Amino acid sequence: MPDSAMMSKNGMLTTIHTRISADPFTANYDLAGKELGRGKFAVVKKCIEKATRKQYAAKFLRKRRRGKDCRMDILNEIAVLESAKANPYVVALHEVYETNTEIILVLECAAGGEIFDQCVTDDGTAFTEKDVIRLAKQILTGVAFLHRNNVVHLDLKPQNILLTSARPLGEIRIVDFGLSRRMDNITEVREIVGTPEYVAPEILNYEPISTASDMWSIGVLTYVMLTGQSPFVGENNQETFLNTSQVNIDYSQDTFEGISSLAVDFIKSLLVKNPRKRATADESLNHPWLNSLPHPHSHPHLHARSASSLDEPEMSQSESEPESPAPSPELDLIGSYLMCPGQGELKTGRAAFSFSESPFPTRPEIQQELMC
Ligand code: ADP
Ligand code: MG
């Protein structure tokens, strides 16, 4: 298949340089049997390249989703990975294969799994504050690189931050650029999909979104890594959205027992409702917390509402997905946005919700509006 130079749609990067091979994937790779993970439309399996015996992660992405051709979305994911290949904290793309039904991304294998697992553990392997500082620096370095290149990730959460090794604790790799967008095209974005516990208030309000929306998610992520608790999670999505929108957050001493006040200050600089007042990735990298030396063994982990809330599957899928039917913590928050060049922002194409009436779309509304 030829290299693709595609038209831009919805802020998506659509010109890719990687050759898409039509060879059978199995001609060049052995599947190592182990499934590494799965999401809504993808299953990721460990594989070994026959020529080198090197280990990779093969992400099998279905081209048709809910009756729609989503090949462009996959090209966008590839293009973003290409644009970030100079950054060590963004997962490396090795090769791409295409079949009638799927595109297969052969990725660097992050063998340590999701940082999620160490956020919710109570077996003594939870992160220390010192660990979190090191990992947060790496996440911010990767995200600052994306933001400098005008790319927003839009789905930063512990399931999409992987580790090169779990024990000893390795480096992070940012994965899953399926929702990422370029911020410098004039185009309309019809659907923004995120994950309720990590989504920024401006997205819920259909207000302009920007690179600052990722910074909100990093604030939530840091909170979860330090405390094992998800700061905005409620009994249901409506409650989670309301907590987020009201920035209803627990900074009590109980929750932050054993955690430095600089860490709390760092989180507070990110969980700011006004995106313009939120710290940027570069500013965050200069925060004193990241250059502090907390007690090496301070184990800030608490478990009260953590594991249960984090493990909760959010929503069932609107149709059965034969390739990847896993319970997924993803959720589809749909809005209609317009990208604004120059400002690096997406502008709303519809009115914000009024909380006094119907604060958030109900499940049937979401299904109707859902696209890829
Ligand atoms: P989705 O878009 O379906 O969420 P992801 O890219 O997030 O797909 O992959 C789903 C899961 O597969 C991840 O949460 C992670 O557990 C695993 N995974 C993805 N990429 C890799 C990789 N390069 N190495 C190891 N595991 C991976
Ligand atoms: Mg994912």
Side-chain angles (χ1 to χ4, degrees):
M1 253 159 264
D3 289 359
S4 308
M6 303 287 177
M7 64 171 193
S8 176
K9 168 188 115 167
N10 297 344
M12 291 202 277
L13 280 176
T14 46
T15 303
I16 71 163
H17 304 286
T18 307
R19 183 179 159 266
I20 299 183
S21 172
D23 295 344
F25 171 76
T26 47
N28 298 330
Y29 291 88
D30 289 321
L31 284 172
K34 194 169 170 235
E35 188 177 301
L36 294 166
R38 54 173 64 211
K40 254 186 170 42
F41 304 110
V43 57
V44 180
K45 293 179 182 167
K46 195 186 265 185
C47 62
I48 311 284
E49 190 175 36
K50 290 181 181 177
T52 60
R53 303 311 299 162
K54 275 183 76 177
Q55 182 175 293
Y56 290 94
K59 180 171 179 180
F60 295 80
L61 286 144
R62 287 191 297 113
K63 291 194 277 186
R64 275 195 90 72
R65 304 166 187 176
R66 299 188 173 104
K68 277 189 168 289
D69 178 5
C70 290
R71 190 171 186 275
M72 295 290 273
D73 297 66
I74 303 171
L75 293 185
N76 173 64
E77 185 165 349
I78 295 169
V80 172
L81 286 167
E82 285 176 348
S83 75
K85 72 171 180 232
N87 191 278
Y89 301 120
V90 172
V91 74
L93 176 67
H94 179 55
E95 282 194 311
V96 180
Y97 288 77
E98 182 164 13
T99 69
N100 285 341
T101 55
E102 288 179 321
I103 292 184
I104 305 160
L105 310 187
V106 184
L107 301 160
E108 163 191 14
C109 185
E114 304 169 9
I115 62 166
F116 178 82
D117 298 328
Q118 270 159 282
C119 290
V120 297
T121 181
D122 54 3
D123 65 359
T125 61
F127 300 129
T128 64
E129 184 171 338
K130 197 164 169 251
D131 294 333
V132 179
I133 288 177
R134 190 170 68 81
L135 299 181
K137 267 188 204 169
Q138 296 179 4
I139 295 168
L140 284 166
T141 304
V143 171
F145 182 91
L146 294 172
H147 289 183
R148 263 180 244 127
N149 286 295
N150 261 329
V151 171
V152 267
H153 185 285
L154 292 178
D155 201 15
L156 292 171
K157 59 180 176 179
Q159 294 87 344
N160 289 337
I161 310 285
L162 309 186
L163 292 165
T164 53
S165 101
R167 272 172 291 275
L169 197 56
E171 291 188 348
I172 68 102
R173 293 291 182 266
I174 303 170
V175 300
D176 197 355
F177 291 83
L179 300 183
S180 298
R181 292 291 184 271
R182 272 298 286 226
M183 303 303 291
D184 52 5
N185 291 341
I186 308 175
T187 39
E188 194 178 352
V189 175
R190 283 243 166 250
E191 80 285 1
I192 295 292
V193 185
T195 303
E197 289 165 57
Y198 296 87
V199 83
E202 62 271 18
I203 294 180
L204 295 175
N205 279 330
Y206 298 110
E207 284 164 7
I209 69 165
S210 68
T211 49
S213 307
D214 278 347
M215 300 314 296
W216 175 276
S217 306
I218 293 176
V220 180
L221 194 57
T222 310
Y223 190 111
V224 172
M225 286 198 281
L226 285 169
T227 68
Q229 300 185 32
S230 186
F232 299 115
V233 73
E235 294 288 311
N236 50 46
N237 288 327
Q238 298 271 336
E239 224 177 271
T240 303
F241 297 152
L242 202 59
N243 286 338
T244 301
S245 184
Q246 294 174 344
V247 199
N248 179 11
I249 186 162
D250 171 14
Y251 287 117
S252 68
Q253 290 221 320
D254 257 12
T255 301
F256 281 87
E257 200 186 331
I259 301 171
S260 71
S261 54
L262 275 177
V264 178
D265 189 78
F266 176 85
I267 294 171
K268 283 183 175 168
S269 71
L270 294 171
L271 297 181
V272 173
K273 182 154 184 178
N274 182 344
R276 291 179 199 283
K277 298 197 172 143
R278 218 171 280 155
T280 65
D282 282 326
E283 284 163 2
S284 298
L285 278 166
N286 289 321
H287 191 282
W289 179 55
L290 295 183
N291 300 303
S292 66
L293 283 173
H295 190 278
H297 302 300
S298 73
H299 245 287
H301 221 70
L302 301 173
H303 308 286
R305 64 187 158 117
S306 58
S308 62
S309 65
L310 284 162
D311 285 344
E312 224 171 65
E314 300 282 346
M315 285 176 71
S316 59
Q317 289 167 238
S318 65
E319 65 180 46
S320 67
E321 306 293 350
E323 195 41 65
S324 51
S328 164
E330 318 271 339
L331 170 72
D332 322 283
L333 297 168
I334 320 299
S336 175
Y337 296 87
L338 291 174
M339 284 187 126
C340 293
Q343 292 178 16
E345 286 177 345
L346 301 170
K347 280 232 156 114
T348 179
R350 60 185 263 178
F353 286 114
S354 144
F355 290 116
S356 56
E357 291 159 26
S358 168
F360 299 103
T362 59
R363 177 77 177 123
E365 281 172 64
I366 286 170
Q367 281 184 5
Q368 268 169 26
E369 289 180 84
L370 197 129
M371 296 172 85
C372 284

